[in-house]
Amino acid sequence: MSGDTPVLFHDLSFVPEGDETVVGRLDTGSYAVLPADGAALLGQMAGGMSPETAARWYESEFGEPIDMEDFLETLRELGFVRDGEPVAVALPVRFQRLGAAAFSPLAWVLYLAITVAWLMLGARHDDLLPDPSQFFFVQSALVVQLVITFGQLPLIFLHEGFHTLSGRRLGLPSKLGMSNRFMYVVFETRMNGLFSVARGKRYLPFLSGMLADVVVLGLLGLLAHTTRDASGALSLTGRVAIALGFTVVMRLVWQFQLYLRTDLYYVFATALRCHDLHDASVTLLRNRMWRALGRPERVVDEGQWTEHDRRAGRWYGPFVVLGIAVMLSLAVFGSLPIVLQYVEIVGRNLTSGRLDLYFWDAVVSLVINVGQLVLVAHLARRKRRIGREVS
């Protein structure tokens, strides 16, 4: 291609982020953070300016030459250049109206009413506030195990579905898919194109899953209250609802584990205008530790991150430590009490001396749990072995 022939580009979005610009393709989700001068040059070429003319424009505008061949090669690697490919046809975004309705003013009023009603009832009725002691709603460990396992699936789907709808509301091709982690079924949202919208519009897509969790928690509490029996005690339906509510609380608290890429992490990263806050902050934290321990050979080069990410990473480091504290708190105050209750119920049923229904209930439940642990360990070991063989 001659230097005076314009280069054909795919449809690109340009979103200013401080001194930089996020450029990308909505259809593929390929994005790059370019300095202001690079984004300006790309904008001129995407508008029809030939490489030769664009190079002269750049030198005149910024006072230095540009290696146009290298610049074009980078753009090709990013998939921005068409190179004979047909123009990508933007498909209509399905469920965009549903997304708009899910986050309309009327919907926000409804969400707020549900949450406030639940909080007011919870202030008067302690049994509506999810607690580990309410997890085992019946004395059958197996029934609890199955109900919680399968009862969580639609709630997790709703969490991810809200992420998807909040993206569809903006006209983005967000996708909700089903996958697995080892043997567990999980739902995943891929919010392609989120960096094509202004930074202020990204917060709701990140926080919408937690919004769904809060609303679900309120609905479960209201269900438990409205299905009380004649004596005022929680019915079986109510006890199941509160037990499922506890799993929702655990998921909400899990989002505060900021050493992971949780929903709240992306909120922080967006607010701080960072592109790799997680790795930058974790590396800086580790480097401080290795320097304090007198192990400079373990220190990682920090130059691979931008100066802005490094500055934000130093400030974000304490939040990484806070996230680890949240993880430990979840284990001690959330998971451990349930494990102890499970051991007590299974142990009592196994040692009762009777080969009744509760005995076999405990046996089957124990076999399932031990089998899960063995299978997870086997899959993890197999994954490590395959990884060593590939490398």
Side-chain angles (χ1 to χ4, degrees):
M1 179 179 294
S2 63
D4 59 353
T5 303
V7 177
L8 299 179
F9 290 91
H10 290 281
D11 188 21
L12 301 176
S13 63
F14 293 79
V15 180
E17 292 278 342
D19 296 333
E20 301 169 322
T21 300
V22 179
V23 183
R25 286 178 58 181
L26 181 62
D27 58 325
T28 64
S30 174
Y31 290 89
V33 180
L34 299 181
D37 58 340
L41 176 60
L42 177 55
Q44 293 293 331
M45 296 174 65
M49 189 179 287
S50 69
E52 185 177 302
T53 306
R56 288 197 300 268
W57 174 86
Y58 181 89
E59 187 169 359
S60 171
E61 189 75 16
F62 298 101
E64 58 183 24
I66 180 74
D67 186 341
M68 183 56 70
E69 189 173 328
D70 182 64
F71 186 64
L72 282 172
E73 182 59 31
T74 300
L75 297 178
R76 286 191 175 92
E77 290 175 359
L78 290 168
F80 293 172
V81 179
R82 275 170 52 189
D83 278 338
E85 300 173 52
V87 178
V89 178
L91 299 175
V93 176
R94 298 177 62 193
F95 304 119
Q96 187 170 1
R97 289 185 178 180
L98 179 59
F103 300 99
S104 64
L106 179 60
W108 282 104
V109 170
L110 179 61
Y111 301 153
L112 181 62
I114 291 170
T115 305
V116 170
W118 170 66
L119 289 175
M120 291 178 64
L121 284 171
R124 299 200 306 267
H125 303 277
D126 291 343
D127 56 357
L128 295 181
L129 302 177
D131 184 87
S133 62
Q134 298 168 299
F135 190 78
F136 288 90
F137 49 87
V138 292
Q139 287 302 305
S140 167
L142 181 60
V143 169
V144 172
Q145 185 176 339
L146 294 176
V147 170
I148 294 298
T149 298
F150 292 102
Q152 282 190 88
L153 291 180
L155 305 185
I156 297 172
F157 176 85
L158 192 60
H159 173 105
E160 298 298 332
F162 260 53
H163 281 308
T164 303
L165 287 176
S166 61
R168 295 291 179 100
R169 163 181 165 269
L170 298 174
L172 304 177
S174 305
K175 296 180 180 179
L176 174 60
M178 183 180 292
S179 182
N180 71 290
R181 291 173 188 163
F182 294 116
M183 60 188 177
Y184 302 107
V185 175
V186 295
F187 296 98
E188 298 175 330
T189 304
R190 294 181 293 278
M191 289 192 282
N192 290 346
L194 192 56
F195 290 104
S196 296
V197 301
R199 186 165 51 94
K201 294 182 179 180
R202 300 175 201 163
Y203 293 111
L204 181 58
F206 290 139
L207 291 170
S208 53
M210 295 180 69
L211 166 66
D213 289 338
V214 171
V215 174
V216 165
L217 191 56
L219 288 172
L220 290 172
L222 294 177
L223 174 64
H225 184 69
T226 55
T227 56
R228 292 180 185 275
D229 58 29
S231 67
L234 292 177
S235 65
L236 176 60
T237 299
R239 296 199 302 273
V240 171
I242 297 301
L244 287 171
F246 179 74
T247 68
V248 176
V249 170
M250 292 287 280
R251 279 199 301 278
L252 277 169
V253 177
W254 185 88
Q255 300 294 343
F256 288 86
Q257 297 184 77
L258 297 175
Y259 64 97
L260 301 172
R261 289 184 171 89
T262 62
D263 295 345
L264 285 179
Y265 158 78
Y266 286 109
V267 171
F268 271 99
T270 301
L272 295 172
R273 300 184 179 183
C274 290
H275 307 296
D276 195 5
L277 177 62
H278 178 271
D279 288 349
S281 57
V282 170
T283 299
L284 289 169
L285 201 60
R286 287 175 178 167
N287 282 353
R288 283 194 214 120
M289 180 187 69
W290 292 126
R291 291 189 185 104
L293 294 174
R295 299 288 301 277
E297 73 279 1
R298 302 296 297 273
V299 173
V300 176
D301 178 23
E302 299 172 4
Q304 55 189 302
W305 290 280
T306 66
E307 177 60 29
H308 181 75
D309 276 14
R310 293 199 299 271
R311 286 198 305 269
R314 295 186 188 98
W315 177 86
Y316 189 74
F319 286 90
V320 174
V321 177
L322 176 63
I324 296 174
V326 171
M327 175 197 68
L328 296 175
S329 299
L330 274 175
V332 173
F333 300 108
S335 301
L336 183 59
I338 290 175
V339 170
L340 293 177
Q341 289 180 70
Y342 176 80
V343 170
E344 178 188 352
I345 292 173
V346 170
R348 182 173 64 247
N349 291 339
L350 286 177
T351 59
S352 65
R354 301 186 301 272
L355 295 179
D356 55 8
L357 189 60
Y358 284 109
F359 173 85
W360 293 112
D361 175 278
V363 169
V364 174
S365 175
L366 202 57
V367 167
I368 291 175
N369 281 321
V370 172
Q372 286 180 338
L373 294 175
V374 170
L375 183 57
V376 167
H378 168 71
L379 292 174
R381 192 163 53 247
R382 182 171 174 268
K383 186 176 180 180
R384 286 196 300 269
R385 186 178 68 251
I386 292 174
R388 287 195 299 268
E389 292 173 355
V390 170
S391 60

